[in-house]
Amino acid sequence: MNAPTITVAPGDALRRDVVVANPQGLHLRPATAFAKLARQFTCAVFVLRDDRRANGKSQMELLLLAAEPGSRLTLEVDGSDAEQALDPLAEMLADQGSEDEPE
């Protein structure tokens, strides 16, 4: 269901389009979990929705995207471990949510 990874040349950002599947959208718990996972990578992580761009390592910026169920997002990663970060981060954005992890 995910679009193929787009890469133009070595050193360029990797991008993947993702549809938010969680029935509650990208709310506080999944945004926090995503930012926590993103911070485990050294690469820059951005999530784009329409004309908005959020730092993927900041749950507050992610919440400001107001990504409701069905929203199309573009995940962008750029840096030395971008290839390792792309799949798990894209999967987390597209996760339907098993009602999130307990805190």
Side-chain angles (χ1 to χ4, degrees):
M1 185 185 308
N2 288 331
T5 301
I6 302 168
T7 181
V8 180
D12 285 347
L14 301 176
R15 294 177 187 87
R16 179 165 300 159
D17 292 331
V18 179
V19 175
V20 176
N22 187 311
Q24 297 176 343
L26 189 59
H27 61 94
L28 184 59
R29 285 187 189 153
T32 300
F34 181 89
K36 182 178 178 181
L37 178 61
R39 287 190 297 266
Q40 293 178 11
F41 299 99
T42 60
C43 62
V45 177
F46 293 98
V47 180
L48 297 83
R49 178 174 184 217
D50 302 324
D51 62 345
R52 291 178 262 167
R53 179 181 175 109
N55 178 344
K57 296 181 181 185
S58 167
Q59 63 264 28
M60 292 308 293
E61 285 191 32
L62 291 168
L63 288 172
L64 291 174
L65 291 175
E68 299 171 344
S71 297
R72 289 194 164 282
L73 304 176
T74 300
L75 172 63
E76 180 180 281
V77 291
D78 189 9
S80 61
D81 57 354
E83 287 185 35
Q84 293 80 23
L86 187 64
D87 286 338
L89 290 172
E91 288 169 15
M92 184 170 280
L93 281 178
D95 185 21
Q96 292 185 2
S98 51
E99 206 30 53
D100 315 315
E101 300 175 19
E103 293 182 35

